[in-house]
Amino acid sequence: MSKIRQGAVLCLVLAAPALWAQPRPASDAEAGQSQVVEAQAAQLYSLANQARAAKGLRRLQWDPALALGALRHCRRMAQEGPIAHRYGGEPDVTARASQAGAHFSLVEENIAVGASPASIHSGWMNSPDHLANLMNPGVDRVGIAVVAHGGVLYAVTDFARSVPVLTQAQVEAAYAGLLRARGLTVLKDPSAARAYCASSGRFSGPDAPGYLIRFQNADLTQLPAPLAARVATGQYRQAAVGSCAPQNLEGAFTVFRVAVLLY
């Protein structure tokens, strides 16, 4: 299932009280003085992976596309002053990440304004919503952006569960491998399965299968439960697999549409 989750807006008011009047919107001249600070982003990346390692969670891989989407929003935060996950006329985090080139089935976002990477990370660690994003075992990629402006740091971290970019044949090969592992012979000609995948009606081929299914999923490592249950009955010997373009997909999530015919 495709998901989006955002942490609550976090202003780190306890770190340095003198700095934490609500940030005011930047003037055009001031906005031009905002500075992207890559070292601070790298520090937040390191702190995030250290925190995950301490809990036995897998390391997050850096995703340049997520980082680009985060940077575009981080610059907007520095211009606006008060931080938010979305401003008027701006795409949401799913669209920002997708437009930057990321492919994902889940995306989450933490934002903050703070005095240093350490204070921002500490604030996220002590906020249940932000901590849940940072420690989510279901994410594997991250992109982080930090912009310095007006004596403070604006930070955006976008987490995602990545989805590989695959060709039609590669998607079919992935599911064919799962079916072969369960003892089925996969037919070499995918045309009937591809045609059924792309349609929205009944199967119209010459050799009607004993069971057929269309589904959309980002996970290529397991069969959908209804299909797995049918295969487990042992009454089928052959299968055809066809992939096609996803249909009726909401948002910018990446999924694969597949049809499997059992004979």
Side-chain angles (χ1 to χ4, degrees), residues 49-74:
N49 274 323
Q50 289 174 26
R52 288 176 64 90
K55 296 295 184 180
L57 298 172
R58 62 179 167 178
R59 178 179 180 83
L60 297 173
Q61 298 299 311
W62 183 264
D63 190 308
L66 288 175
L68 176 58
L71 177 59
R72 289 169 176 169
H73 183 61
C74 199

Side-chain angles (χ1 to χ4, degrees), residues 72-124:
R72 289 169 176 169
H73 183 61
C74 199
R75 284 174 167 157
R76 181 71 182 268
M77 289 202 312
Q79 292 173 358
E80 296 283 348
I83 64 175
H85 285 287
R86 187 179 186 183
Y87 298 100
E90 183 187 33
D92 66 11
V93 62
T94 60
R96 294 196 301 266
S98 179
Q99 289 168 5
H103 296 268
F104 49 87
S105 61
L106 178 152
V107 64
E108 305 171 336
E109 182 173 82
N110 284 355
I111 62 174
V113 56
S116 68
S119 66
I120 290 171
H121 176 74
S122 177
W124 285 339

